[in-house]
Amino acid sequence: MEANQPHLTILQQDEVNVVRFADRKILEELSIREIEEELFGLVKSTPEIHLLLSFSGVEHLSSAALGMLINLQKEVHKQQGQLKLSDINPQIFEVFKITRLNRHFDIHQTADEAIRKF
């Protein structure tokens, strides 16, 4: 099953909802809000969701996008689900390390590796 939203592509792989971002830069407040609505809608409609966000192709992420990820993580846990991140480019991963969010999220090198860990 594949669903396309303006900012996201969502693929079902095994029991995992794999989300890929259409935008190379996730910076604008409006697009972040739209991404948040799409992701929260998916999480709320799928109890105990296994959600993987693949950042392959994403080159820039704003602090507002990081805040949205933190809120998403809370919502996934509230729904008894699991959230993993993968394919984060080194510059963005540096921001995760500086903000210590690398300890907050379950981050993997590749989507395939992350899917095996669910």
Side-chain angles (χ1 to χ4, degrees):
M1 180 185 96
E2 183 174 323
N4 287 309
Q5 304 290 336
H7 300 285
L8 307 173
T9 302
I10 304 167
L11 293 165
Q12 186 84 31
Q13 192 169 333
D14 300 326
E15 298 294 312
V16 180
N17 288 280
V18 181
V19 174
R20 296 190 192 285
F21 296 91
D23 306 325
R24 288 190 8 236
K25 299 176 180 179
I26 304 174
L27 302 171
E28 295 177 23
E29 198 170 313
L30 177 62
S31 54
I32 292 167
R33 217 175 15 248
E34 290 170 351
I35 290 168
E36 184 173 39
E37 284 174 18
E38 293 167 28
L39 290 172
F40 272 70
L42 177 65
V43 169
K44 288 180 178 176
S45 68
T46 315
E48 298 182 28
I49 190 168
H50 288 164
L51 183 61
L52 170 60
L53 303 183
S54 171
F55 287 87
S56 63
V58 176
E59 298 169 2
H60 299 285
L61 212 55
S62 72
S63 57
L66 292 175
M68 179 265 299
L69 290 174
I70 292 167
N71 291 335
L72 180 66
Q73 170 88 323
K74 290 176 186 170
E75 187 62 32
V76 168
H77 281 301
K78 200 160 59 173
Q79 301 284 344
Q80 311 299 309
Q82 292 181 48
L83 173 66
K84 297 183 189 305
L85 311 180
S86 72
D87 304 295
I88 298 175
N89 88 25
Q91 289 162 303
I92 295 175
F93 189 70
E94 212 37 55
V95 174
F96 275 81
K97 286 195 330 202
I98 290 167
T99 57
R100 297 204 168 137
L101 288 175
N102 60 319
R103 297 177 185 175
H104 186 74
F105 291 103
D106 188 357
I107 300 174
H108 298 271
Q109 290 288 318
T110 67
D112 288 339
E113 175 189 312
I115 288 168
R116 284 193 302 272
K117 301 287 182 170
F118 273 103

